[in-house]
Amino acid sequence: MCGIAGLFAREAHAQVDRDLLVRMRDRMVHRGPDGAGLWCDDGIGLAHRRLSVIDVEGSPQPMHSPDGRAAIVFNGEIYNYRALRSELAGLGHAFRTEGDTEVILAAWRQWGADCLARFDGMFAFALYDRERRQLFLARDRFGVKPLFTALLPDGTFAFASELKGLLAHPALDRTIDPLAIEDYFAWGYVPDHRSMLAGVDKLPAGHYRIVEHGKPPHPPVCWYDISFERRETMSAQEEAEALRAHLGTAVASRMVSDVPIGAFLSGGVDSSAVVALMADRASQPVTTCSIGFDVADLDETAHARLIAEKFGSAHHERIVDPAMFDRIDALAAMFDEPFADASALPTAAVCALAREHVTVALSGDGADEAFAGYRRHVFHAAEERARGALPLPLRRAVFGPLATLYPKADWAPRPLRAKTTFQSLALSGEEAYARALGVMSPELRGRIFSPAMKRELGGYRAEQPLIELMRNAPARSGLDRAQYADLKFWLPGDILTKVDRTSMAVSLEAREPLLDHHLVELAARLPDTRRVSGGQGKLALKQAMEGTLPQQILYRPKQGFVLPIAQWFRSELKEAARAAARSERLLDTGWFDAAALSQLAEDHIAGRRDHARELWQLLMLERSVSLLSNN
């Protein structure tokens, strides 16, 4: 795993500032502490930080093709590189190393941009072709690996694995985009279609981009999209066998490593399945790492311990408590942009724990999105059946007034929050799912934003891109559309960003076998009832693991990796909540109504409302704005 950076001049014969490129590269030393590389030529400079995982002694980067035509910097892993290497050797390509980077170069020479469809892996890379005088940038199917880009005032095109790499460039426009603030409060992160800074873009997942001297950068091109349009007609036994085969292949391919490898273990279905399949293929006990909480209702360490004992893993645990709040500044620095998924704190803790024992860790991320494992999928599927029975105008007439009259009950389980259900049924499926996925409602954003901020937004509403994504999805049902939105919007923006930044901050490579695209594509073809049925999500995956995982793991209620911030903000951290709501740094931006922010904190502390997530958003935004202003 690595960090990459580069500068591509507008003019082909312009000189690249080597010292500046080194500064960009070394802002990301955590992504690659094992080595550094730099290559510059007329109009181009490529830089690389290396975390050695495969072919530890070889494969230095930037790497050049044998004929000198192409040079590459690459972040990620190509899991099927050995099969591709054999195929390319049969086509006449010679290889000097044992790693996957050289395979990308040969594949580009053989197939051009079509090489991307042949890669099984996670990646972001930049490849310079001397003959074509063009830069080719690409990102993997689901956005496991990040890539930030910027067009600088002099026409130079810059890129880096993290925003902090671009922030090392003095010419970068640091103007904060007000639309990103709206996006952030809606979702808790800044989605891939936007950046916190107006002058920065993110290459979207499953896209590539070409840049040529003397021309504006070409827009990103989509090379991969997941489709829910087909349906499988397998028997239950055939389905279970197919899933088990795909799961086994995905896990085995991600166990290839020349350095110690382990796994995150939460005690849920997904990480437990990964550990079980690893144990079946490992020649020695699997190293597993778990994080627990000081709040019993949220602690899963007993379940993780059960799996560790069953499969004989070398198990390690650590407990998260309010004292870890002191690490919030370090957490904010990992992300650069504001990132308010509070589970990033325990994720950072489990990554740090894992790095004490291994260099690579497998995770269970991706299965909830692919197999419909979130509670919101179960609720959405049920609501979609009701929407199908009644036309939208009638639902608005009946459920809209009920939602207005019914009291808000933040404390109640979701099925008992009738107000939320009435609100959802009065909306289209896409609008309702956008609300279910969001953190702060449009109404609450309307209360906390100042009149000046609302004018800057010009009517923009953060939910609209997600609604349009769902309406245009290659899908057959409302559940399909919800999962499509998760895979295209939520997964790269939240889940994978969280895992990438927290793992790379401690120089740990995280791999997601349950995001193997063959497995995800099979999941997308399963009938709705094999994903959600009888109030259960992820049904097909659970049934495929029967006989391997204990029933109490497979069918216990989903807990999620949730930090107990609601309790903390009413006890040990209540003054931190007040401080976030009264932050001079935030109020000086002119974005907020001061009285509304203060009321937000006091309502939560008094127990009148649950605003824990919103208060965490304010905390993380305050830290992020501070970091950006000091860079």
Side-chain angles (χ1 to χ4, degrees), residues 498-512:
K498 174 180 64 181
V499 176
D500 175 79
R501 304 302 191 279
T502 55
S503 61
M504 293 311 300
V506 293
S507 306
L508 175 77
E509 175 172 308
R511 298 178 179 176
E512 293 82 8

Side-chain angles (χ1 to χ4, degrees), residues 204-399:
H207 282 65
Y208 70 79
R209 192 170 191 182
I210 292 173
V211 190
E212 298 179 272
H213 296 295
K215 299 178 182 179
H218 295 276
V221 175
C222 180
W223 68 268
Y224 179 80
D225 196 13
I226 184 73
S227 175
F228 286 79
E229 292 179 312
R230 289 179 52 203
R231 289 289 186 263
E232 287 288 352
T233 56
M234 296 183 288
S235 68
Q237 182 177 348
E238 290 171 334
E239 177 189 279
E241 290 173 354
L243 285 173
R244 287 284 303 211
H246 278 79
L247 285 164
T249 299
V251 168
S253 68
R254 285 154 180 80
M255 291 177 68
V256 176
S257 173
D258 295 332
V259 295
I261 187 168
F264 303 133
L265 178 59
S266 70
V269 174
D270 310 330
S271 64
S272 298
V274 169
V275 169
L277 292 166
M278 289 180 73
D280 190 47
R281 289 157 177 78
S283 57
Q284 56 189 9
V286 176
T287 298
T288 55
C289 298
S290 298
I291 290 295
F293 299 106
D294 62 345
V295 176
D297 288 346
L298 299 176
D299 185 59
E300 294 185 282
T301 51
H303 302 292
R305 214 171 294 130
L306 173 67
I307 294 299
E309 291 171 359
K310 179 175 177 59
F311 295 103
S313 72
H315 191 57
H316 307 275
E317 293 180 359
R318 189 163 289 166
I319 299 297
V320 174
D321 59 37
M324 291 195 73
F325 184 76
D326 292 341
R327 304 181 191 179
I328 193 171
D329 289 330
L331 186 70
M334 294 177 191
F335 291 90
D336 302 319
E337 295 186 304
F339 188 82
D341 182 339
S343 68
L345 190 60
T347 302
V350 77
C351 287
L353 175 61
R355 191 61 179 92
E356 294 174 9
H357 305 279
V358 298
T359 308
V360 177
L362 272 60
S363 82
D365 293 305
D368 284 321
E369 292 78 10
F371 289 91
Y374 292 115
R375 283 188 286 266
R376 64 176 180 259
H377 294 141
V378 176
F379 297 134
H380 186 71
E383 290 167 359
E384 282 291 88
R385 289 192 291 272
R387 291 188 189 98
L390 295 172
L392 181 58
L394 180 58
R395 285 190 281 109
R396 282 179 174 158
V398 172
F399 296 113

Side-chain angles (χ1 to χ4, degrees), residues 15-275:
Q15 296 299 303
V16 168
D17 187 331
R18 296 174 64 94
D19 293 338
L20 177 55
L21 188 54
V22 167
R23 290 199 297 274
M24 292 172 61
R25 178 195 71 190
D26 291 348
R27 284 280 187 97
M28 303 178 293
V29 65
H30 52 282
R31 296 189 74 93
D34 297 333
L38 183 75
W39 172 74
C40 294
D41 201 356
D42 289 347
I44 179 69
L46 301 177
H48 186 262
R49 295 283 338 180
R50 187 181 187 202
L51 176 65
S52 300
V53 172
I54 291 176
D55 192 18
V56 173
E57 299 301 325
S59 299
Q61 294 188 46
M63 181 179 287
H64 299 264
S65 59
D67 60 3
R69 171 182 165 179
I72 188 174
V73 282
F74 160 52
N75 169 30
E77 302 287 354
I78 306 299
Y79 301 119
N80 64 332
Y81 79 96
R82 289 173 174 165
L84 284 173
R85 176 190 171 108
S86 178
E87 180 181 0
L88 288 161
L91 294 170
H93 294 267
F95 294 91
R96 301 165 293 176
T97 70
E98 298 300 320
D100 51 358
T101 307
E102 193 175 14
V103 171
I104 300 176
L105 281 168
W108 163 262
R109 290 297 312 273
Q110 185 66 38
W111 300 300
D114 291 341
C115 69
L116 298 173
R118 295 173 176 264
F119 298 149
D120 291 346
M122 54 179 185
F123 55 84
F125 65 80
L127 187 152
Y128 180 65
D129 190 307
R130 277 179 160 170
E131 286 186 11
R132 301 181 184 180
R133 304 293 286 168
Q134 66 179 209
L135 184 68
F136 179 77
L137 303 106
R139 193 173 176 206
D140 64 68
R141 291 171 178 83
F142 299 113
V144 179
K145 294 292 105 187
L147 194 59
F148 289 79
T149 66
L151 186 62
L152 303 175
D154 67 352
T156 297
F157 183 86
F159 65 88
S161 292
E162 296 183 19
L163 181 56
K164 57 176 56 72
L166 295 180
L167 286 168
H169 201 297
L172 183 73
D173 181 1
R174 287 161 170 75
T175 302
I176 292 178
D177 186 347
L179 302 190
I181 302 301
E182 159 75 357
D183 284 337
Y184 168 70
F185 277 100
W187 308 117
Y189 56 92
V190 181
D192 269 11
H193 62 256
R194 202 174 313 284
S195 163
M196 184 68 170
L197 301 184
V200 175
D201 294 313
K202 301 165 188 169
L203 183 64
H207 282 65
Y208 70 79
R209 192 170 191 182
I210 292 173
V211 190
E212 298 179 272
H213 296 295
K215 299 178 182 179
H218 295 276
V221 175
C222 180
W223 68 268
Y224 179 80
D225 196 13
I226 184 73
S227 175
F228 286 79
E229 292 179 312
R230 289 179 52 203
R231 289 289 186 263
E232 287 288 352
T233 56
M234 296 183 288
S235 68
Q237 182 177 348
E238 290 171 334
E239 177 189 279
E241 290 173 354
L243 285 173
R244 287 284 303 211
H246 278 79
L247 285 164
T249 299
V251 168
S253 68
R254 285 154 180 80
M255 291 177 68
V256 176
S257 173
D258 295 332
V259 295
I261 187 168
F264 303 133
L265 178 59
S266 70
V269 174
D270 310 330
S271 64
S272 298
V274 169
V275 169

Side-chain angles (χ1 to χ4, degrees), residues 6 33 37 59 92 104 130 192 246 252 267 274 288 308 386 391 404 454 457 481 515 524-525 528 563 573 578 584:
S59 299
I104 300 176
R130 277 179 160 170
D192 269 11
H246 278 79
V274 169
T288 55
T404 302
K454 293 173 188 174
L457 293 177
R481 296 180 192 282
L515 276 178
R525 297 194 301 269
D528 286 20
L563 200 67
L573 300 181
R578 287 192 172 107
E584 289 187 12

